[in-house]
Amino acid sequence: VTDPQKKTYHLEIVAHNEEFADNLAYLMNLLHLKAKVSQRKHTFLVYLKESEAIARLLSLIKAYTGVLKLEEAKVIKGIRAGVNRQVNCETANIEKILSAAWEQVKQIKYLKEQGLFSNLPEHLQETAELRLTYPEASLKELGQYHLPPISKSAVNHRLRLIRNLNEKFS
């Protein structure tokens, strides 16, 4: 049995002749274990690739410690995979927030450079100044910085208006 901490699960039984390997695979498949036969040099291998099948076989031969180690490894792999998915999702969200914020900062700076910023309505100027002050903030956080606080949707609407004005003048 390969180390269950590895990426894939694998159990193999070495047989010295093809007939024995085929018969063993047949018996294992009667138990729905999905055994397969392969030849390596002068020996034959009966092998399993699915963790459930490996655990069932180990249980049938009363190798309970092996079953416990396999199940423990599966749980650990599952937890690691879940954590990795969560981290990847959060990283992608942060990158998305920062990319959008960077674009918004560029647009606001452009309007200032062109002397158009002072022509913006007061509420758009307030949102723009907050974006410049807090470039890494999410829309929700920017909304909380307003006095009085405004919704994420309102911040998004204001920044969209600024973007539209920027596109109109650029």
Side-chain angles (χ1 to χ4, degrees):
V1 179
T2 58
D3 182 356
Q5 298 290 336
K6 303 280 186 202
K7 195 170 190 172
T8 60
Y9 300 100
H10 185 84
L11 175 141
E12 63 184 35
I13 299 170
V14 178
H16 293 287
N17 67 63
E18 187 174 12
E19 182 182 3
F20 180 82
D22 288 338
N23 287 335
L24 181 57
Y26 174 78
L27 290 173
M28 291 169 76
N29 288 328
L30 286 176
L31 298 168
H32 307 288
L33 296 178
K34 298 181 184 177
K36 295 191 173 127
V37 177
S38 177
Q39 185 175 1
R40 186 184 298 151
K41 295 184 182 177
H42 302 291
T43 60
F44 293 87
L45 305 173
V46 180
Y47 66 92
L48 302 174
K49 288 287 196 181
E50 296 179 2
S51 62
E52 291 80 16
I54 295 170
R56 185 150 182 237
L57 178 66
L58 292 174
S59 181
L60 287 169
I61 63 172
K62 301 190 184 321
Y64 300 121
T65 303
V67 175
L68 291 174
K69 286 182 180 180
L70 181 65
E71 294 301 325
E72 177 186 20
K74 283 173 56 178
V75 168
I76 290 170
K77 279 184 184 180
I79 291 170
R80 282 187 184 142
V83 168
N84 284 339
R85 274 190 299 276
Q86 185 70 28
V87 167
N88 290 342
C89 182
E90 289 177 13
T91 301
N93 284 341
I94 289 169
E95 287 175 1
K96 185 177 167 185
I97 288 169
L98 292 177
S99 175
W102 176 250
E103 189 60 33
Q104 292 159 358
V105 166
K106 281 183 10 183
Q107 292 167 353
I108 295 163
K109 285 182 177 180
Y110 176 80
L111 291 173
K112 282 189 168 198
E113 289 167 5
Q114 300 302 312
L116 301 169
F117 187 81
S118 59
N119 296 338
L120 293 176
E122 191 176 309
H123 68 284
L124 294 184
Q125 286 184 27
E126 177 188 16
T127 299
E129 289 293 349
L130 286 169
R131 172 48 82 203
L132 292 175
T133 304
Y134 304 102
E136 74 291 339
S138 68
L139 296 181
K140 183 177 179 181
E141 291 168 335
L142 277 181
Q144 295 303 308
Y145 294 135
H146 282 77
L147 295 174
I150 62 174
S151 70
K152 172 182 169 181
S153 176
V155 172
N156 187 45
H157 178 70
R158 290 179 182 188
L159 290 170
R160 194 174 333 113
L161 289 173
I162 292 169
R163 182 184 70 226
N164 292 342
L165 287 170
N166 191 2
E167 289 172 0
K168 185 190 246 185
F169 295 113
S170 59

